[in-house]
Amino acid sequence: MAEIIQKDGTWTFDGDTVRIVPGRDKDVGPLRQALGELSVPLPAIAGISYEPGRKSGRLRLRLRDAADPLTQGTAGRLPDAADPYKLTVESARAAVAEYFVDEVRNALLLDQVDPGPADAYLLPGPPVPVTAEAGDAAVSFDGDTITLDWNWTAEEAKHSAGPSRFRMADVRAVDWVPAKGLSNGWLRFTLTGAQAAPAPKYDPYAAELFGFGKRELLTALVAAAVTVRLPHPAVPATPSAAPTPAVTSTAPLSTPRPTASDHDVLLRRLRELGELHKDGILTADEFITAKAAILGQF
């Protein structure tokens, strides 16, 4: 068994799993604290290295592509200080770090672990429900519904529509970009059938990240929790006959209310909904809800 204990945290390796426990030092950010202990199975590891430095070095664990929903959901954009797979090592402990690297590398060779992309997630995503404060919204996810609750910094276009709520089943992709320098970041959700999105500050499915505090990085947990519930990148996309309408609380699956003379429009819409349901594009619940909304307009 190999172990290295530092202010940033403790890493141990028992031959099968690298266990990462965040330290209690004041410089350990809220994201790593929220992640808690991580257990990284050997098959999820692509490599490990120790990078020496003048005052301190760095132990770096490299995971296989598409093995970890956190790494996948953030596209490798986590700042070094918030990355749980990097450990700052005091120069005096360099020999221990090098021994740790040798132990993991030997195990990877003995088990003949493929360093290429994984065909399934080998680490679980963050537990839900999860909530994080972004720049212009509080973002929450309970495993089924994503909510963006706008604060006073949000643009009027977002405020006027009220909180944005939509189902996990309607999400096609999630994009997380941290703030950098004077440029804001964002946490954006792309819904099935959505058209080209506006800039994040106006997008009702995106929260802006201003970069004013370390707690904003907790939005990466939401990105990871959503990512692990999306189809894995190794799974080929299934073509659909037509795009599924995006369903949100601010834009429910219904049509604008026509006048009494527009019954033909309503009947045509009912036929369209029936075809979408028959083709499997609309679920039974979505079909019933939309049908009831249209029938109520006759």
Side-chain angles (χ1 to χ4, degrees):
M1 179 172 172
E3 181 178 63
I4 181 167
I5 302 174
Q6 293 292 281
K7 291 180 179 179
D8 270 5
T10 299
W11 288 20
T12 59
F13 179 59
D14 60 7
D16 297 313
T17 304
V18 174
R19 286 185 169 80
I20 299 174
V21 179
R24 297 183 179 180
D25 187 73
K26 62 179 181 179
D27 292 329
V28 176
L31 175 58
R32 290 175 61 190
Q33 293 174 4
L35 284 169
E37 179 177 335
L38 297 176
S39 295
V40 185
L42 193 65
I45 300 173
I48 187 171
S49 62
Y50 172 66
E51 304 162 358
R54 182 185 301 177
K55 295 183 178 180
S56 62
R58 176 169 292 161
L59 193 59
R60 186 188 302 266
L61 192 67
R62 184 168 58 87
L63 304 189
R64 296 171 61 190
D65 289 342
D68 173 35
L70 176 64
T71 305
Q72 187 74 19
T74 58
R77 300 188 183 106
L78 281 176
D80 285 352
D83 192 333
Y85 305 117
K86 297 174 184 176
L87 180 70
T88 300
V89 178
E90 300 168 358
S91 297
R93 306 292 288 173
V96 178
E98 290 170 351
Y99 172 74
F100 193 98
V101 168
D102 288 342
E103 288 293 293
V104 176
R105 284 180 177 172
N106 289 338
L108 290 172
L109 288 173
L110 287 173
D111 283 26
Q112 297 183 338
V113 175
D114 180 4
D119 57 7
Y121 288 120
L122 302 177
L123 283 85
V128 292
V130 58
T131 301
E133 292 290 337
D136 64 353
V139 187
S140 61
F141 177 48
D142 61 8
D144 178 72
T145 302
I146 299 164
T147 302
L148 304 179
D149 194 3
W150 313 115
N151 60 36
W152 67 273
T153 66
E155 290 291 324
E156 180 60 29
K158 291 181 174 180
H159 259 306
S160 60
S164 183
R165 294 186 179 89
F166 44 95
R167 301 286 297 276
M168 177 67 223
D170 298 315
V171 177
R172 188 182 72 209
V174 58
D175 185 33
W176 186 86
V177 177
K180 187 175 182 180
L182 298 178
S183 300
N184 292 341
W186 60 82
L187 172 62
R188 188 201 297 270
F189 304 93
T190 302
L191 274 57
T192 302
Q195 303 299 318
K201 67 186 301 182
Y202 303 111
D203 188 349
Y205 307 118
E208 275 203 296
L209 306 179
F210 299 154
F212 294 153
K214 293 181 179 180
R215 298 197 65 82
E216 259 195 3
L217 293 175
L218 291 175
T219 53
L221 296 178
V222 181
V226 171
T227 295
V228 77
R229 289 167 173 79
L230 291 171
H232 189 271
V235 177
T238 303
S240 57
T244 303
V247 183
T248 72
S249 64
T250 58
L253 186 62
S254 62
T255 56
R257 180 178 294 274
T259 63
S261 62
D262 288 334
H263 284 189
D264 288 344
V265 174
L266 297 176
L267 290 171
R268 185 167 61 252
R269 181 59 177 150
L270 280 174
R271 287 194 294 270
E272 291 172 353
L273 288 173
E275 292 172 359
L276 290 173
H277 178 52
K278 181 180 178 181
D279 292 339
I281 296 170
L282 290 181
T283 66
D285 289 342
E286 291 170 340
F287 173 68
I288 291 171
T289 300
K291 180 180 176 181
I294 293 177
L295 290 176
Q297 297 176 38
F298 275 92

